[in-house]
Structure formats: structure tokens, C-alpha cells
Amino acid sequence: MITFFEYNWQVRDEWFDWCTLLTPDELLKDRKGGVGNILYTLFHIVDVEYSWIRAIQGKEDIVFSFADYHTLEEVKSLSDTLRSEIAVGLKTDLEELKEELIHVPWDEDEYTKDEILHHIIAHEIHHIGQLSVWARELDHSPVSANFIGRRLKSVGDY
Amino acid sequence: MITFFEYNWQVRDEWFDWCTLLTPDELLKDRKGGVGNILYTLFHIVDVEYSWIRAIQGKEDIVFSFADYHTLEEVKSLSDTLRSEIAVGLKTDLEELKEELIHVPWDEDEYTKDEILHHIIAHEIHHIGQLSVWARELDHSPVSANFIGRRLKSVGDY
């Protein structure tokens, strides 16, 4: 499981680099599917991961508004900040009490910690798949989604 | 890890159902990104999963040609057949000798079994993300990608 976080975080950073090819208008332009534009997709990935991780840590949700993070630099900086916070406890979060039921303020149902960790991982990969289509529509090559052949930076190094 | 296979297989079947909303022409129409059309995406997911699983089982690769599976029914039937074969040994494949190095005929590099299993999982989720954009471009709602809130059919029941 932790390897999937390492994969997602590395691919995410490659997409942040890729985004520097685009103008601010292209990053925010309305597109069909997903959450509707490139920058908001990255913001949404960061926001959702952080909210769920705080929930499984028993911490109160912190709500971020995209209106406050409207540039590539701001979203990248938010991602870096929240990720270093997540990285500290992640190994423990992943290994302990997998079947513990978690209640979150934005959903009526309860889910196990293990289910939530799977959800965070699949959520990011799914949205990155959407970015790859939009990239081709912009006549750019997308970031590689290959898991194999990557040297993954360890969670402990974030 | 096995839960991700259960998730992918269930989502895949929901996309096969979703595809019945489309005409054969829409399923095969050229689209930007990914492997270029909806039906070939599903074929490619099935084909890639099977090839890598055979490789980690030490079996020779079997090459399938999309030209022979050009209808929704044929791709779905291929998926069902190969998946029941994969399901039999999957639990053992996932648990044993994770660090074993695997050589495959289509790649110069060698990868560990564990790396390959992560690759298969991320590969399917990524391509499904692409389908979700194409779905919206066709003015259809995509299949939900949520991991949480699903009752997953066990690998043993395939």
C-alpha cells in the first residue's frame, strides 16, 4: 500500500512539472469530464487525500477552497505542505487497526480505515488518467503512468 | 492488493455494461488520448493484465490481436475467460516470492513480481480514468470510480 502512495506522489510531482508547459488560462480552462479543469484536478487530489487521512487519524477536517489556490505555484505548495504532514504518520496509519470504522462529516456511511486507504490511492490514479486524455487533446505527451521501471522516493523522504 | 483486483474487476464489468449504451461505431471511434478508442481500452486492460500475470507465473505469453475481438461481446467474453483463469492462482501469486525478478519478452528490463502486480492495478485504474472523460464527451455519466461503499465480489467467486 505505501508503495502506491510513493507512486502517486511521484507521478503527481511530474504532472506539476508538466503543467509549467501550459498557460494559467489553459490550466483553468473548462474541460469535459472529471472535476472540469487541470489545476482543479490536482487541487482536488491533494484536498481529498488530506481530508481522508485526517479522518483516519481522528482529526477534524480542514476545508480548503480552490478560490484560495488558483495558481500552479499555490496548488503545488499546498500539495508539498500537506504531504510532508501526511508522510510523518503514514506508515503507522497504513499498518494499524485496518478494520476500524471511520465516520466523516461529508458522508453518512462509515468506512473501514483500509477501505479509505484504497479509496485515496484509486482516486488519485483515476484522476491522473483523466489528465492524460486532456494532455493529448492539448497535443502534449502526458506524464508516463507506468508503475514499473520507476525509482520511487521513499515516503520517509517527503 | 487482492482487493484492488476485486475493485478493478467490478468496475470493469460496470464499464462493459455501460458500453451497451453505445453503438459499435461509438465504441470504435478514434478518440484523443489513451489507446485511442473505448473498446480497445477494455481489450488492452484485459490483454495487459493477462500477459503480466502469465509472466509472473512463469508461463509463455499468449498474444491476442484486437482484430479478432472487435465487438463488445467478444471483448467481454475474453475478459471473463481470462479472468476466471487468473482468479484461480491469484492469491498465491500475490503472496509468494514478491521480490522474485521476472523477465518478459516485451521488455528489456526485469521487474519484481510485486512491482508487476502494482503495475497491473495502476494500469487498469489509469485507463478507466480515461474512459470517464470520453464518457462525458459523449454526454453520458461515467461509471463511478469510488472504492468506498462497494460490496466487492471476492476473487474466489470469479
Side-chain angles (χ1 to χ4, degrees):
Chain A
M1 293 278 277
I2 206 152
T3 328
F4 274 126
F5 279 90
E6 291 168 348
Y7 163 79
N8 272 343
W9 291 359
Q10 190 160 310
V11 172
R12 188 195 301 172
D13 281 349
E14 291 176 20
W15 277 101
F16 276 124
D17 282 346
W18 179 93
C19 281
T20 60
L21 297 170
L22 303 189
T23 64
D25 281 355
E26 282 173 322
L27 288 174
L28 293 168
K29 197 190 153 203
D30 280 348
R31 297 176 200 280
K32 283 267 187 183
V35 293
N37 74 56
I38 293 172
L39 194 61
Y40 185 46
T41 302
L42 290 163
F43 171 84
H44 173 69
I45 287 170
V46 170
D47 181 36
V48 163
E49 177 180 80
Y50 189 65
S51 290
W52 283 111
I53 291 281
R54 281 187 71 87
I56 65 175
Q57 291 171 337
K59 295 178 185 162
E60 207 174 316
D61 188 34
I62 296 176
V63 177
F64 297 96
S65 164
F66 185 49
D68 300 327
Y69 299 88
H70 238 53
T71 66
L72 180 58
E73 295 66 34
E74 283 164 341
V75 177
K76 171 76 166 69
S77 160
L78 183 70
S79 169
D80 288 347
T81 307
L82 302 187
R83 202 164 53 178
S84 8
E85 193 185 318
I86 291 169
V88 177
L90 191 61
K91 223 164 172 178
T92 323
D93 294 332
L94 284 162
E95 280 162 14
E96 281 178 5
L97 298 168
K98 289 189 174 177
E99 295 313 309
E100 189 189 350
L101 275 174
I102 307 290
H103 178 74
V104 290
W106 60 88
D107 197 317
E108 282 180 7
D109 293 320
E110 291 186 319
Y111 307 106
T112 66
K113 219 176 90 171
D114 198 46
E115 208 175 349
I116 290 172
L117 291 164
H118 281 81
H119 181 70
I120 297 170
I121 292 165
H123 181 261
E124 178 151 358
I125 305 174
H126 182 80
H127 280 295
I128 292 292
Q130 297 172 334
L131 291 187
S132 76
V133 167
W134 292 339
R136 289 286 181 201
E137 289 174 350
L138 283 159
D139 287 326
H140 284 296
S141 295
V143 167
S144 165
N146 274 353
F147 188 97
I148 46 169
R150 285 181 180 271
R151 279 179 172 273
L152 294 172
K153 181 172 154 185
S154 159
V155 157
D157 293 335
Y158 279 92
Chain B
M1 293 276 278
I2 205 152
T3 328
F4 273 126
F5 278 90
E6 290 168 349
Y7 163 79
N8 271 343
W9 292 359
Q10 189 161 311
V11 172
R12 187 194 303 173
D13 281 349
E14 290 177 19
W15 276 101
F16 276 124
D17 282 347
W18 179 94
C19 283
T20 62
L21 297 170
L22 303 190
T23 63
D25 281 354
E26 283 173 322
L27 287 173
L28 292 169
K29 197 190 153 203
D30 281 348
R31 296 175 201 281
K32 283 267 188 184
V35 294
N37 75 56
I38 294 172
L39 194 60
Y40 185 46
T41 302
L42 290 163
F43 171 84
H44 173 70
I45 286 169
V46 170
D47 182 34
V48 163
E49 175 179 81
Y50 189 64
S51 289
W52 283 112
I53 292 281
R54 282 186 69 88
I56 65 176
Q57 291 171 338
K59 295 178 184 163
E60 206 174 316
D61 188 33
I62 297 176
V63 178
F64 297 96
S65 164
F66 186 48
D68 300 328
Y69 298 90
H70 238 54
T71 67
L72 180 59
E73 294 67 32
E74 283 164 340
V75 177
K76 171 77 165 71
S77 161
L78 183 70
S79 170
D80 288 347
T81 306
L82 302 187
R83 202 165 54 179
S84 8
E85 194 186 316
I86 291 169
V88 178
L90 190 62
K91 223 164 170 177
T92 322
D93 295 334
L94 285 163
E95 281 162 14
E96 283 178 3
L97 298 169
K98 288 188 177 179
E99 295 313 309
E100 189 188 351
L101 275 175
I102 306 289
H103 178 74
V104 290
W106 59 87
D107 197 317
E108 282 179 6
D109 293 320
E110 291 186 321
Y111 307 106
T112 66
K113 218 175 91 172
D114 198 46
E115 208 176 351
I116 291 172
L117 291 164
H118 281 82
H119 181 70
I120 298 170
I121 290 165
H123 181 261
E124 179 151 357
I125 304 173
H126 182 80
H127 280 295
I128 292 292
Q130 298 172 333
L131 291 187
S132 76
V133 167
W134 292 340
R136 289 286 180 202
E137 289 175 350
L138 283 159
D139 287 325
H140 284 296
S141 295
V143 167
S144 165
N146 273 353
F147 187 97
I148 46 169
R150 286 181 177 269
R151 280 179 169 272
L152 294 173
K153 182 173 154 184
S154 159
V155 157
D157 292 335
Y158 279 91

